[in-house]
Amino acid sequence: GPQRSLASFMVPSDILEAVDILNNTINNFQNHGIVDVMKMYPRWTVFQAAYVLAKLQKAWHIQVKRRRIETDGTNQKKQSIEYLIQKTSRLPSKDLLRDLAHYSSYATAIYGWKVLAMLTGTIYGSDMAALLGKTGLDPVDIVSVRWDSEPHKPAYFLARDHENQSIVLSIRGTITMKDVLTDLFFEEDSALQEEDDYDALLAKMGAGQKATLEDKDNTCPNSVRAHQGMVHSAREIARETRLEVEALLSTNEGYRLVLLGHSMGGGAAAIIGSFW
């Protein structure tokens, strides 16, 4: 049809073939014993189930780790394990689950209309129309956006979410070859720099989290390390948006800052959260 003809001009044939296979599998999912839980249950309920599954996986990891250090009497490792056990036993709040469900659309909206057309079959016609359609935001609340990425400069958008009293920074994951170049900087690097408030980061952390830092004296920013490409991307986006974010939080009293992203973008967002 027209949609297929349009896609053939924009997307390589091997990707179209893969999308056809994926769509065929999705359209006939009943034949594979798959249940569409998103249609059976509210979105936040599905996120809750996924969250619980992640907790079970974490519990298994803790049990394995505990067996490995049973003969190790260091306080640091014991403190780390006790923190993880305590954290794993907590159930997520409904507010957290609703946030996950709500902001998942923000993470996909930054991918633009071409990707959404392939995944959903909906043709918005422009990247901005796709962003507004997926998030439900008003055009005046899109503060800034960058659609074209560069190495260490992922696409992102910054917006006001008045309904949830939030300032939202959404960072895109890997979709272009320039993003792949960012991914290939996979060596670890310090997530913090000397000018960052390391004490403020430690104040956000629990005792067990502090104990997991690799640096023995836990007083040096170099003890907080992450994927180099994501670190550089986080630094660049933080540099570009810091003043705007500060102004938005100042003029929108009571609003919170929400940092999010998918894949590489999620990693960059997490790193920004470590020094903001």
Side-chain angles (χ1 to χ4, degrees), residues 5-273:
S5 299
L6 180 62
S8 64
F9 285 103
M10 301 185 300
V11 185
S13 59
D14 56 340
I15 295 181
L16 285 176
E17 183 179 354
V19 171
D20 284 342
I21 295 173
L22 179 60
N23 284 335
N24 183 61
T25 302
I26 293 173
N27 292 333
N28 298 281
F29 66 86
Q30 299 92 340
N31 299 332
H32 301 279
I34 301 173
V35 177
D36 188 354
V37 295
M38 298 302 289
K39 290 185 178 179
M40 296 174 60
Y41 305 100
R43 186 183 293 184
W44 73 268
T45 303
V46 176
F47 272 96
Q48 185 177 36
Y51 191 95
V52 171
L53 177 60
K55 289 292 186 180
L56 291 173
Q57 291 173 327
K58 176 65 75 173
W60 176 83
H61 170 73
I62 291 172
Q63 185 63 25
V64 171
K65 189 172 182 180
R66 174 180 255 172
R67 289 172 182 169
R68 289 176 180 172
I69 66 170
E70 281 180 346
T71 58
D72 191 323
T74 62
N75 290 332
Q76 182 181 16
K77 287 189 176 181
K78 285 184 177 180
Q79 192 177 29
S80 175
I81 286 294
E82 293 307 316
Y83 168 79
L84 290 173
I85 292 174
Q86 181 183 16
K87 184 177 180 181
T88 303
S89 64
R90 301 172 187 166
L91 291 176
S93 67
K94 288 188 176 181
D95 289 340
L96 172 60
L97 294 170
R98 289 193 181 96
D99 278 350
L100 289 172
H102 175 68
Y103 288 114
S104 63
S105 62
Y106 284 62
T108 57
I110 188 58
Y111 277 90
W113 77 274
K114 295 177 183 178
V115 173
L116 293 178
M118 287 191 297
L119 296 178
T120 68
T122 301
I123 299 179
Y124 291 97
S126 72
D127 290 335
M128 184 57 72
L131 192 160
L132 299 175
K134 286 292 291 183
T135 62
L137 294 172
D138 191 282
V140 298
D141 290 320
I142 306 300
V143 180
S144 61
V145 61
R146 178 172 66 210
W147 295 108
D148 297 324
S149 60
E150 296 289 339
H152 299 150
K153 292 184 179 182
Y156 71 88
F157 75 87
L158 179 65
R160 289 178 289 259
D161 178 7
H162 292 300
E163 181 180 352
N164 293 276
Q165 292 192 313
S166 302
I167 305 302
V168 185
L169 176 60
S170 176
I171 306 174
R172 194 178 71 189
T174 303
I175 195 64
T176 69
M177 286 306 300
K178 293 179 180 179
D179 297 326
V180 172
L181 289 176
T182 300
D183 290 331
L184 291 177
F185 283 78
F186 49 76
E187 293 185 0
E188 64 177 27
D189 199 358
S190 175
L192 300 180
Q193 297 179 349
E194 293 299 330
E195 63 267 24
D196 292 318
D197 191 343
Y198 186 65
D199 291 335
L201 172 62
L202 292 180
K204 302 176 186 177
M205 301 169 68
Q209 288 176 307
K210 296 175 186 177
T212 61
L213 295 180
E214 294 180 356
D215 197 88
K216 291 183 179 180
D217 61 8
N218 288 343
T219 60
C220 175
N222 286 330
S223 61
V224 181
R225 307 183 69 79
H227 180 281
Q228 188 179 71
M230 294 181 186
V231 169
H232 291 179
S233 297
R235 285 284 163 194
E236 183 61 28
I237 292 178
R239 183 189 65 79
E240 293 180 14
T241 63
R242 182 186 295 274
L243 293 179
E244 285 181 316
V245 169
E246 290 177 351
L248 288 167
L249 292 174
S250 176
T251 56
N252 294 273
E253 186 176 355
Y255 279 42
R256 57 179 177 156
L257 175 62
V258 176
L259 303 169
L260 60 94
H262 168 255
S263 187
M264 178 185 68
I271 294 170
I272 292 175

